Amino acid sequence: MGREHMILGAFFFNPQGDNRMSWRHPSAPGFEVFSFQYYRDIASLAEAACLDALFIADHVAIWDTYESNVAHYANARLEPITVLAALSAATRHLGLISTLSASYSEPYNVARMFASLDHLSGGRAAWNVVTSGMNEEAMNFGRDATVEHAHRYERAAEYLDVAKALWDSWEDEALKLDRESGQFADATKVHRIAHRGNHFNVRGPLNVPRPPQGHPVIVQAGSSNDGKNLAAAHADLHFSMCRSVEEGLAYRVDFNERLERYERAPQSLKILPGIQPVLAASAAEAQEKREILDSLIPERLGVDLVSSWCEMDLSGLPIDGPLPDLPDEGSYNGQRTNLARLKSFKAQNMTIRQVARQLSISGAAPVVAGTAVEIADFMEEWYRAGVCDGFNLMFPVMPEDLANFTYHVVPELQRRGLAQSSYSEGTLRDKLGLLRPANRLVLER
Amino acid sequence: MGREHMILGAFFFNPQGDNRMSWRHPSAPGFEVFSFQYYRDIASLAEAACLDALFIADHVAIWDTYESNVAHYANARLEPITVLAALSAATRHLGLISTLSASYSEPYNVARMFASLDHLSGGRAAWNVVTSGMNEEAMNFGRDATVEHAHRYERAAEYLDVAKALWDSWEDEALKLDRESGQFADATKVHRIAHRGNHFNVRGPLNVPRPPQGHPVIVQAGSSNDGKNLAAAHADLHFSMCRSVEEGLAYRVDFNERLERYERAPQSLKILPGIQPVLAASAAEAQEKREILDSLIPERLGVDLVSSWCEMDLSGLPIDGPLPDLPDEGSYNGQRTNLARLKSFKAQNMTIRQVARQLSISGAAPVVAGTAVEIADFMEEWYRAGVCDGFNLMFPVMPEDLANFTYHVVPELQRRGLAQSSYSEGTLRDKLGLLRPANRLVLER
């Protein structure tokens, strides 16, 4: 199945924007991030520009290992499934992507939530499957520290097997609703899944009919080896972090090999690298915008942020000195994408202060600052080179940078034929050029 | 705090109505029960009539122990939190009551969902806390059979302690959002809850600010001794089943005694008995309506329904013979409210066929059939006698019986000054005459 245009999704974790300190920016929203109207307005902006999806990331804890975290960091937020369910009533076309952790929840409950959201939204639900790597998260669910990395991913893969089987437990044709005969369902098309595995025993069937999309769109982000294998086995969309066309092309080749191991075609997995588009009239203005944000991180919070990423307390070290020796990946249970990033900073001999400033901009997504034409040029180059199927748009300050992007960059992309000017009909899968999954319980019959 | 009018909530478990076979009724909805529009229309009806709340019940399984169940019973439905979150965007005043089981979920996740729904809806979220008693439910969560009754309630009570502490973990004044100083939150007002109990270890704090209502309204239904004690300790609303003014008055007295043990005033717990209002021009028409529904239950499904309630397979017994000896309450792990009802049928020497027909109308809620004046008379009598603070309205066929009630009975109640003709301002707690809970983590300081 083809897709003529870039896939464009608007992402946020902090609703104030994707810089650690976005909330302090003069244009950032205040208390309204705890009200529905804020999200409705963001969704309206996105839908008016025909963006494909709104993507809300999530953690199941606040970040509070260091004292500065609670005082300065925007830890409080709404829960994404409820936000997106509310938005399903206020939007018609926008894909609704919610992060939900497979580490501290039950597949029966989560499969129901996404199936229900898919019905309510007419087939627009998508699930970004993550594992929870923070110790703060583990401690909210009866543990003293996070679960070992490989174990989390093994559980997530089994979790997805269970969820997919539950979505398939009512065949598409199972519901009859034949008033005359009294047949509500064809019992031969409603299946117990009888899953017995290392992590879950789930009998099924689900109590929600098969979702309009068959399965909600499965999203995976995070580029550890385990994470990429999970995506190759299960995901429809992958959010990547890459810095250059060369890196992106190599990444795609690597993924195609992984997909082949699961007998999947390259086009069955769409890759969307994160970028941070910042509209500015000139390089000087872009630099100034960036410096305003960089200046907002309190020094102590910056150091504590680096400490969190290393899983080592750096507060005793000189802030203008080098990073200490970092843990090996094999013994590191946090987010390995983060550790890899720190190692590259260390290789560049960056000081703790410099690293803190780098980390104040979330993730490794490249900042693409410039005029609408320059931003569109960048996106066109990556897209035409075959680096990606579209972009995961991470805006430093919400909703301002999103609004600027939709008002100025999207029309430029549309003029070039790179972005859609209207929505096509159908479910999110249809719109993204993804196949509706066959029912595996039927195939196995 | 007072409340001048009856509290009126529209309830459903099956979205087709509160008879086991509602879905077969000629006026019942079809496949649209899996779309948002169906619920939006129901909510619009309820809000146009100034009803206080929409209440969606739930199970975490389909009912499929007997083969007939899958074929004939309306087992498929949407998940209530997602439905109510979507409805929060389409309503302004209606309370949003969702059942959610404390048996097979994590308090951190559930506290977040309800806190988030409370923010999104401007303080209209309510949680009907249930324990899951069906074996079919247990088997979806890694167990072979349901958890012992007392154990379920002990877990539910601890679950509520944890959820309430999490809602209190951000004090009302904790959020500062002071851009100038960089203080996002006053760290002295954000608390780890450090809960260590028999069922849960949860560190907290929650990552959602304190809900607008302090705590979402807590609802409890089910009248076992354990259930009533849970309500006395924790609930704001209790859904009861009673058959007469005398029974209702005794029930209230009993509850007041239980509340006193927790140092709670009687008016802090609102009691809403279930009734099934069926508008009919005459007794004959009402009887005819009832008979249509009664005639819709397939014989085999009726027997299997009684078998489920007894937890004994009755298919070998003569359908026109008596019920067998029933289990003792102490050894019965299912819903004890159900067992008690069967025992009263047995005491009346009813046959299995007669019991099956009784059970086809869900629950023990009295059918109140008649003209608008007669239904209003019944409700006025119970309300003025002090039996209740309002009613949990269970309609045999949705949305028809709800629409008839709002068009004809509500205006009659309004004329008598018994039902509100407009919404008052404020949160659901404010509207219901319930106090906003003090923050227990502050009180303990």
Side-chain angles (χ1 to χ4, degrees):
Chain A
M1 292 176 79
R3 156 100 187 180
E4 283 170 41
H5 305 105
M6 292 176 178
I7 296 170
L8 295 176
F11 168 97
F12 64 86
F13 170 53
N14 292 325
Q16 300 91 348
D18 203 47
N19 182 292
R20 310 271 170 200
M21 286 290 122
S22 300
W23 75 266
R24 283 188 76 183
H25 192 276
S27 303
F31 290 96
E32 65 266 35
V33 298
F34 305 111
S35 73
F36 175 64
Q37 290 69 23
Y38 181 69
Y39 300 96
R40 190 192 52 201
D41 293 347
I42 284 174
S44 296
L45 277 174
E47 204 162 46
C50 301
L51 299 191
D52 290 284
L54 190 64
F55 173 20
I56 311 184
D58 192 40
H59 286 155
V60 286
I62 77 166
W63 177 47
D64 73 348
T65 296
Y66 297 94
E67 202 178 311
S68 67
N69 306 161
V70 179
H72 302 301
Y73 183 62
N75 264 310
R77 58 178 52 81
L78 300 187
E79 184 284 327
I81 288 267
T82 44
V83 173
L84 291 171
L87 286 178
S88 74
T91 52
R92 284 195 53 208
H93 298 287
L94 201 61
L96 306 167
I97 308 178
S98 176
T99 293
L100 203 145
S101 170
S103 297
Y104 303 118
S105 58
E106 289 280 349
Y108 196 90
N109 295 332
V110 170
R112 284 183 80 204
M113 291 263 173
F114 280 101
S116 194
L117 182 61
D118 207 44
H119 283 285
L120 290 165
S121 63
R124 295 186 283 134
W127 173 18
N128 177 38
V129 184
V130 300
T131 73
S132 296
M134 292 163 63
N135 288 331
E136 288 99 328
E137 295 178 300
M139 290 187 276
N140 290 328
F141 298 91
R143 297 182 55 90
D144 293 326
T146 193
V147 180
E148 193 260 318
H149 192 274
H151 186 87
R152 292 204 308 269
Y153 277 88
E154 184 195 296
R155 179 184 155 109
E158 187 181 329
Y159 199 113
L160 273 163
D161 282 334
V162 174
K164 289 181 171 181
L166 287 169
W167 291 323
D168 289 346
S169 64
W170 289 72
E171 295 186 23
D172 289 317
E173 304 299 318
L175 284 172
K176 296 298 175 194
L177 276 65
D178 183 345
R179 290 184 171 91
E180 196 56 41
S181 68
Q183 187 186 37
F184 183 84
D186 178 346
T188 68
K189 295 184 173 177
V190 181
H191 308 286
R192 296 179 182 176
I193 68 168
H195 176 90
R196 292 201 166 261
N198 290 333
H199 299 272
F200 305 105
N201 293 330
V202 180
R203 196 195 70 156
L206 200 63
N207 56 358
V208 183
R210 195 160 193 253
Q213 297 187 97
H215 306 165
V217 171
I218 302 295
V219 182
Q220 189 275 340
S223 53
S224 69
N225 188 51
D226 293 335
K228 285 193 274 198
N229 285 338
L230 184 71
H234 280 291
D236 303 296
L237 293 184
H238 171 72
F239 287 124
S240 66
M241 288 291 169
C242 77
R243 309 289 304 180
S244 67
V245 167
E246 296 65 37
E247 194 183 319
L249 288 173
Y251 199 89
R252 179 78 248 188
V253 168
D254 172 75
F255 245 115
N256 290 353
E257 287 168 9
R258 292 176 198 261
L259 288 166
E260 200 174 356
R261 275 178 245 149
Y262 292 94
E263 300 180 6
R264 292 182 59 187
Q267 62 268 32
S268 69
L269 183 82
K270 311 293 185 189
I271 297 184
L272 309 183
I275 59 171
Q276 295 195 67
V278 179
L279 197 73
S282 65
E285 189 187 312
Q287 181 62 21
E288 189 188 349
K289 273 195 159 180
R290 167 70 186 277
E291 280 173 7
I292 290 174
L293 280 166
D294 282 357
S295 73
L296 297 177
I297 193 162
E299 183 172 294
R300 179 57 199 240
L301 180 63
V303 174
D304 288 345
L305 178 58
V306 185
S307 296
S308 297
W309 278 42
C310 310
E311 300 197 338
M312 301 160 70
D313 185 349
L314 308 188
S315 59
L317 300 181
I319 190 166
D320 292 312
L323 287 173
D325 289 336
L326 295 169
D328 286 334
E329 186 186 80
S331 63
Y332 183 80
N333 280 324
Q335 289 185 43
R336 292 190 180 169
T337 314
N338 294 355
L339 181 67
R341 207 169 150 217
L342 283 184
K343 291 199 169 188
S344 88
F345 293 143
K346 185 162 171 68
Q348 297 166 57
N349 294 316
M350 285 167 64
T351 66
I352 292 173
R353 188 193 302 276
Q354 288 167 331
V355 172
R357 289 213 156 191
Q358 274 298 319
L359 297 192
S360 79
I361 58 166
S362 311
V367 176
V368 184
T371 62
V373 167
E374 287 164 344
I375 294 172
D377 284 346
F378 178 97
M379 294 172 74
E380 179 166 7
E381 184 194 355
W382 281 31
Y383 182 66
R384 293 217 188 271
V387 167
C388 60
D389 299 285
F391 295 91
N392 186 32
L393 306 165
M394 309 167 88
F395 297 103
V397 180
M398 289 278 275
E400 182 181 81
D401 288 324
L402 166 64
N404 283 336
F405 186 87
T406 66
Y407 298 151
H408 303 289
V409 183
V410 169
E412 178 63 25
L413 293 169
Q414 288 170 336
R415 267 192 292 277
R416 300 182 189 193
L418 294 168
Q420 64 192 4
S421 302
S422 64
Y423 286 104
S424 54
E425 286 308 303
T427 66
L428 181 60
R429 282 187 180 275
D430 297 332
K431 289 176 163 80
L432 298 181
L434 292 164
L435 289 173
R436 188 170 191 272
N439 188 318
R440 297 199 283 190
L441 298 185
V442 175
L443 293 178
E444 286 164 14
R445 200 161 54 192
Chain B
M1 292 175 79
R3 155 99 188 182
E4 284 171 39
H5 304 105
M6 292 176 179
I7 296 169
L8 296 176
F11 168 97
F12 64 87
F13 170 53
N14 293 325
Q16 299 91 349
D18 204 47
N19 181 290
R20 308 273 170 199
M21 286 290 121
S22 300
W23 73 267
R24 282 188 76 184
H25 192 277
S27 303
F31 290 96
E32 65 265 35
V33 298
F34 305 110
S35 73
F36 175 63
Q37 290 69 22
Y38 181 70
Y39 301 95
R40 190 192 53 202
D41 292 347
I42 285 175
S44 296
L45 276 173
E47 203 161 46
C50 300
L51 299 191
D52 289 284
L54 189 64
F55 173 22
I56 310 184
D58 192 40
H59 285 156
V60 285
I62 77 165
W63 177 48
D64 72 347
T65 296
Y66 297 94
E67 201 179 312
S68 67
N69 305 162
V70 179
H72 302 301
Y73 183 62
N75 263 311
R77 57 180 51 80
L78 300 187
E79 185 283 328
I81 288 266
T82 43
V83 173
L84 291 169
L87 286 177
S88 74
T91 54
R92 285 197 51 209
H93 298 287
L94 200 62
L96 305 168
I97 309 178
S98 177
T99 294
L100 204 146
S101 171
S103 296
Y104 302 118
S105 59
E106 288 281 348
Y108 196 88
N109 295 331
V110 170
R112 286 182 80 204
M113 291 263 173
F114 279 102
S116 194
L117 182 61
D118 207 44
H119 284 283
L120 290 167
S121 64
R124 296 187 281 134
W127 173 17
N128 177 40
V129 184
V130 300
T131 73
S132 295
M134 292 163 62
N135 289 330
E136 287 99 329
E137 294 178 303
M139 289 186 276
N140 290 329
F141 297 91
R143 298 183 54 89
D144 292 326
T146 192
V147 180
E148 194 260 319
H149 191 274
H151 186 88
R152 291 204 308 268
Y153 277 87
E154 185 195 295
R155 178 184 156 109
E158 187 181 330
Y159 199 112
L160 274 162
D161 282 335
V162 174
K164 288 181 172 181
L166 287 169
W167 291 323
D168 289 346
S169 64
W170 288 72
E171 294 186 25
D172 289 318
E173 304 300 319
L175 284 172
K176 296 299 176 197
L177 275 65
D178 183 345
R179 290 186 172 90
E180 198 55 42
S181 69
Q183 188 186 38
F184 183 84
D186 179 345
T188 69
K189 296 185 173 177
V190 181
H191 308 286
R192 295 180 183 176
I193 68 169
H195 176 90
R196 293 201 167 260
N198 291 330
H199 299 272
F200 305 105
N201 293 329
V202 180
R203 196 196 71 156
L206 200 63
N207 55 359
V208 184
R210 195 160 193 255
Q213 297 187 94
H215 305 163
V217 171
I218 301 294
V219 182
Q220 189 275 338
S223 52
S224 68
N225 188 51
D226 292 336
K228 284 192 275 198
N229 285 337
L230 184 71
H234 280 292
D236 303 296
L237 294 183
H238 172 72
F239 289 123
S240 68
M241 288 290 168
C242 79
R243 309 286 308 179
S244 68
V245 167
E246 296 66 37
E247 194 182 318
L249 289 172
Y251 198 89
R252 180 79 248 188
V253 168
D254 171 74
F255 244 115
N256 290 351
E257 287 168 10
R258 292 175 198 261
L259 289 165
E260 202 174 357
R261 275 178 246 150
Y262 292 95
E263 300 179 8
R264 293 182 58 187
Q267 62 268 31
S268 70
L269 183 82
K270 311 294 186 190
I271 297 184
L272 309 183
I275 58 170
Q276 294 195 68
V278 178
L279 198 73
S282 65
E285 189 187 313
Q287 181 62 22
E288 189 187 349
K289 272 195 160 181
R290 168 69 186 277
E291 281 172 7
I292 290 174
L293 281 166
D294 281 358
S295 73
L296 297 179
I297 192 164
E299 183 171 294
R300 179 57 199 242
L301 179 63
V303 174
D304 289 345
L305 178 58
V306 185
S307 297
S308 296
W309 278 43
C310 310
E311 299 197 338
M312 302 161 69
D313 185 349
L314 307 189
S315 59
L317 299 180
I319 189 166
D320 291 313
L323 288 173
D325 289 338
L326 296 168
D328 286 336
E329 188 186 78
S331 64
Y332 184 81
N333 279 324
Q335 289 185 43
R336 292 190 181 169
T337 314
N338 294 355
L339 182 67
R341 206 170 149 218
L342 282 184
K343 290 196 171 189
S344 87
F345 292 143
K346 185 162 172 67
Q348 298 166 56
N349 294 315
M350 285 167 64
T351 65
I352 291 173
R353 188 192 302 276
Q354 288 167 332
V355 172
R357 289 212 155 190
Q358 276 296 320
L359 296 191
S360 80
I361 58 167
S362 312
V367 175
V368 184
T371 63
V373 167
E374 287 165 343
I375 294 172
D377 284 348
F378 178 98
M379 294 172 73
E380 179 164 9
E381 184 193 355
W382 281 31
Y383 183 66
R384 294 218 189 272
V387 168
C388 60
D389 299 285
F391 295 91
N392 186 32
L393 305 166
M394 309 166 89
F395 298 103
V397 180
M398 291 277 274
E400 183 180 80
D401 288 323
L402 166 64
N404 282 335
F405 186 88
T406 66
Y407 296 153
H408 303 289
V409 182
V410 168
E412 178 63 25
L413 293 169
Q414 288 170 335
R415 267 192 292 278
R416 300 182 189 192
L418 294 168
Q420 65 192 4
S421 302
S422 64
Y423 287 103
S424 55
E425 286 308 303
T427 66
L428 181 61
R429 283 187 178 274
D430 296 332
K431 290 176 163 80
L432 298 181
L434 292 164
L435 289 173
R436 189 171 191 274
N439 188 319
R440 299 200 282 189
L441 299 185
V442 174
L443 292 177
E444 286 163 16
R445 200 163 53 192

